[in-house]
């Protein structure tokens, strides 16, 4: 009590309020609110969803769109469920690329041995032998994989908005060979052994004295932390480590590898790129590393909301000049489609993608690059037609 009095009336009032708050919390009841097991179906049907004839994801029984908040007040569990569904959809898109678009899956590295991590790309049967034209597709960064523009659009809109399939089909119809890159498939994850977990916790550059103080604090608080851990994170997930894929450990490495082993070896006189978001950065890095080859083979590049930066990437003058003549970047804008948009960077022209999709829950416009991509698809193909060098 003496300590409380020394703290003054304000401190006493805070202490009383805290005691009152704690008295209202039933810890035993909180502990009963453990989240369900993080175990989810491994098929769309198991989730009770299916893509209808319009390519929209719908519930099998109700016909309703996907619901993220399947269980109230369990955001972490709902997010894990969403991610599990996303992985199934990725495999579903792979199947569509093979069965509907008739692309073949090619393993990377090309000389991979049985025991090493591997990636893959997709390509049409004539991708390397088509003497006329070749289309290369590069998606952006994040969870998307080959054949996708945006997972969120696939789940909440439809397959045409969120996948590259419309582009692939049109390219094949117009006589293009097609190569679909997979720049985010950079590593595999394996569970850490107990020895590896202990080793990673022991490794530190801190001075011994500082590390000892930290260990002491951790030991003093461990009991409290463990008590609340079951409520905060009731299912302690396994610790994993990443094993990177040889020569494909980043989107930039992947783009260069596919260029060296496939695109540059193709017979096509005219090579075209469509690159979205980080895919644009990967293409610019490819230009930096293979400038002469790219200039000699690539006819036109369509970028969509590309995040490349000619200053940060230290792009030379000759590349910037080539980009001004051979690239076009469609960006988010309320201006009419193909209207010129001012840019602070001295590289390729920027034009409007005429983003008219509104999000009712926010005051601004919704940035849906893949939808805009489909909206100005004719413009992209028009660019290719203008740049196309007929034999």
């Amino acid at each position: 009590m003496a300590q409380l009095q020394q703290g003054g009336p304000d401190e006493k009032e805070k202490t009383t309020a805290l005691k009152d708050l704690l008295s209202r919390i039933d810890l035993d009841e909180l502990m009963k609110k453990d989240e369900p097991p993080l175990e989810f179906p491994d098929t769309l049907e198991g989730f009770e969803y299916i893509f209808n004839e319009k390519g929209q994801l719908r519930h099998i029984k109700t016909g309703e769109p996907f619901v993220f908040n399947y269980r109230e007040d369990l955001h972490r569990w709902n997010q894990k469920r969403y991610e599990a569904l996303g992985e199934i959809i990725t495999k579903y898109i792979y199947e569509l690329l093979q069965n509907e678009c008739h692309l073949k899956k090619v393993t990377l590295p090309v000389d991979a041995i049985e025991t090493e991590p591997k990636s893959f790309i997709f390509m049409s049967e004539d991708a390397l032998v088509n003497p006329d034209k070749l289309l290369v597709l590069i998606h952006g960064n994040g969870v998307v994989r080959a054949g996708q523009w945006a997972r969120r659009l696939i789940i909440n809109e439809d397959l045409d908005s969120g996948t590259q399939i419309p582009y692939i089909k049109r390219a094949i119809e117009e006589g293009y060979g097609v190569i679909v890159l997979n720049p985010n498939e950079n590593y595999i994850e394996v569970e850490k052994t107990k020895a590896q977990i202990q080793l990673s916790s022991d490794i530190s550059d801190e001075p011994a004295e500082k590390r000892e103080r930290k260990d002491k604090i951790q030991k003093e608080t461990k009991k409290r932390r463990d008590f609340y851990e079951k409520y905060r994170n009731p299912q302690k997930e396994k610790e994993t480590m990443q094993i990177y894929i040889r020569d494909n450990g980043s989107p930039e490495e992947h783009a260069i590898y596919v260029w060296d082993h496939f695109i540059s070896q193709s017979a096509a006189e005219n090579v075209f790129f469509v690159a979205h978001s980080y895919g644009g950065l990967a293409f610019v890095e490819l230009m930096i590393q293979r400038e002469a080859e790219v200039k000699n083979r690539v006819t036109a590049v369509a970028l969509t909301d590309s995040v490349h930066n000619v200053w940060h990437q230290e792009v030379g003058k000759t590349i910037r000049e080539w980009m001004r003549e051979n690239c076009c970047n469609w960006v988010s804008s309320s201006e009419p489609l193909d209207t010129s948009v001012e840019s602070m960077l001295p590289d390729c022209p920027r034009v409007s993608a005429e983003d008219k999709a509104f999000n009712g829950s926010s005051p601004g416009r919704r940035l849906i690059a893949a939808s805009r991509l489909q909206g100005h698809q004719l413009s992209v193909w028009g660019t290719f037609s203008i740049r196309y060098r007929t034999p």
Side-chain angles (χ1 to χ4, degrees):
M1 291 295 295
Q3 289 180 342
L4 290 177
Q5 290 173 355
Q6 291 174 1
D10 291 341
E11 189 67 30
K12 184 176 180 181
E13 184 177 341
K14 291 179 182 178
T15 302
T16 302
L18 178 60
K19 288 181 178 179
D20 180 66
L21 176 63
L22 290 174
S23 69
R24 298 170 185 268
I25 298 176
D26 187 340
L27 292 178
D28 290 334
E29 189 63 29
L30 283 177
M31 297 295 283
K32 293 178 184 178
K33 294 184 178 181
D34 291 347
E35 64 185 2
L38 297 176
E39 299 173 357
F40 304 101
D42 56 5
T43 64
L44 278 177
E45 291 75 13
F47 271 93
E48 297 188 329
Y49 281 96
I50 194 171
F51 284 100
N52 63 20
E53 66 282 355
K54 296 181 180 179
Q56 301 166 322
L57 187 68
R58 292 293 181 264
H59 195 276
I60 292 174
K61 296 178 180 178
T62 67
E64 294 296 315
F66 175 75
V67 176
F68 178 85
N69 291 315
Y70 188 75
R71 293 178 181 267
E72 293 185 5
D73 301 326
L74 288 174
H75 179 82
R76 177 176 177 270
W77 187 89
N78 288 328
Q79 179 63 33
K80 293 294 182 182
R81 172 176 173 266
Y82 177 84
E83 292 170 5
L85 176 63
E87 292 302 310
I88 294 172
I89 288 175
T90 291
K91 295 177 182 177
Y92 179 77
I93 301 303
Y94 289 160
E95 293 175 1
L96 291 180
L97 294 180
Q98 293 176 289
N99 300 330
E100 193 171 303
C101 299
H102 307 293
L103 304 184
K104 61 181 180 179
K105 184 178 178 180
V106 180
T107 300
L108 305 181
V110 294
D111 59 348
I113 61 175
E114 185 66 28
T115 56
E116 74 172 300
K118 305 174 188 65
S119 180
F120 51 87
I121 58 174
F122 292 90
M123 63 173 64
S124 60
E125 290 291 341
D126 68 337
L128 301 183
V129 297
N130 187 319
D132 197 6
K133 47 192 177 180
L134 172 67
L135 176 65
V136 182
L137 301 176
I138 314 179
H139 58 62
N141 213 347
V143 297
V144 291
R145 293 296 186 269
Q148 302 180 45
W149 293 126
R151 175 184 288 182
R152 179 173 59 86
L153 291 180
I154 295 171
I155 293 176
N156 298 323
E157 302 289 334
D158 54 48
L159 291 172
D160 279 356
S161 296
T163 75
Q164 299 172 349
I165 291 174
Y167 265 77
I168 295 168
K169 287 183 174 180
R170 177 161 181 176
I172 292 174
E173 288 174 1
E174 299 197 9
Y176 288 77
V178 176
I179 296 181
V180 178
L181 271 62
N182 202 9
N184 292 335
E185 192 75 14
N186 307 128
Y187 57 82
I188 63 171
E189 285 191 346
V190 296
E191 185 178 353
K192 282 185 177 180
T193 64
K194 290 183 178 180
Q196 289 169 328
I197 295 173
Q198 182 61 40
L199 179 63
S200 62
S201 63
D202 289 343
I203 296 175
S204 174
D205 294 331
E206 295 177 341
E209 185 179 345
K210 184 176 181 181
R211 193 163 61 247
E212 287 175 5
R213 286 200 306 269
K214 183 181 290 186
D215 290 342
K216 183 179 179 180
I217 294 173
Q218 289 175 345
K219 287 178 182 178
E220 290 174 350
T221 59
K222 185 177 186 301
K223 188 174 181 179
R224 288 197 307 272
R225 187 177 65 246
D226 289 347
F227 179 78
Y228 287 103
E229 177 66 16
K230 189 167 185 280
Y231 175 68
R232 187 189 69 80
N233 184 13
Q235 301 174 71
K236 191 171 183 180
E237 297 180 69
K238 298 175 181 177
E239 291 193 45
T240 61
M241 59 185 295
Q242 299 171 347
I243 302 178
Y244 283 84
I245 298 165
R246 176 164 53 91
D247 298 328
N248 287 267
S250 69
E252 296 91 329
E253 273 193 6
H254 177 76
I256 293 170
Y257 187 88
V258 176
W259 175 273
D260 289 343
H261 291 82
F262 297 95
I263 303 171
S264 68
Q265 305 299 318
S266 68
E269 181 180 354
N270 298 274
V271 178
F272 302 88
F273 277 79
V274 176
H276 172 58
S277 187
Y278 200 89
L281 185 149
F283 173 80
V284 172
E285 184 62 28
L286 170 63
M287 276 217 71
I288 294 171
Q289 301 298 327
R290 303 289 187 270
E291 180 178 353
E293 295 180 29
V294 171
K295 287 181 176 179
N296 186 53
R297 299 295 305 279
V298 176
T299 301
V301 181
L303 305 172
T304 60
D305 281 336
S306 175
V307 298
H308 72 275
N309 187 301
V310 294
W311 297 139
H312 292 167
Q313 293 181 261
E314 298 182 355
V315 178
K317 180 180 179 182
T318 56
I319 293 178
R320 298 198 305 269
E321 290 174 348
W322 185 91
M323 290 179 65
R324 279 195 289 271
E325 294 297 321
N326 297 277
C327 301
C328 185
N329 187 14
W330 278 266
V331 298
S332 175
S333 172
S334 59
E335 295 297 322
L337 182 64
D338 293 335
T339 301
S340 180
V341 176
E342 185 178 358
S343 173
M344 299 296 291
L345 297 175
D347 53 12
C348 60
R350 287 159 44 102
V351 297
S352 171
E354 194 178 11
D355 182 9
K356 290 185 176 180
F358 283 88
N359 183 346
S361 62
S362 69
R365 295 186 181 274
R366 189 167 46 158
L367 305 182
I368 307 181
S371 285
R372 292 198 306 277
L373 192 67
Q374 297 305 321
H376 65 253
Q377 188 173 13
L378 288 175
S379 297
V380 171
W381 290 103
T383 298
F384 287 175
S385 297
I386 293 170
R387 298 291 182 187
Y388 178 47
R389 298 190 297 265
T390 53

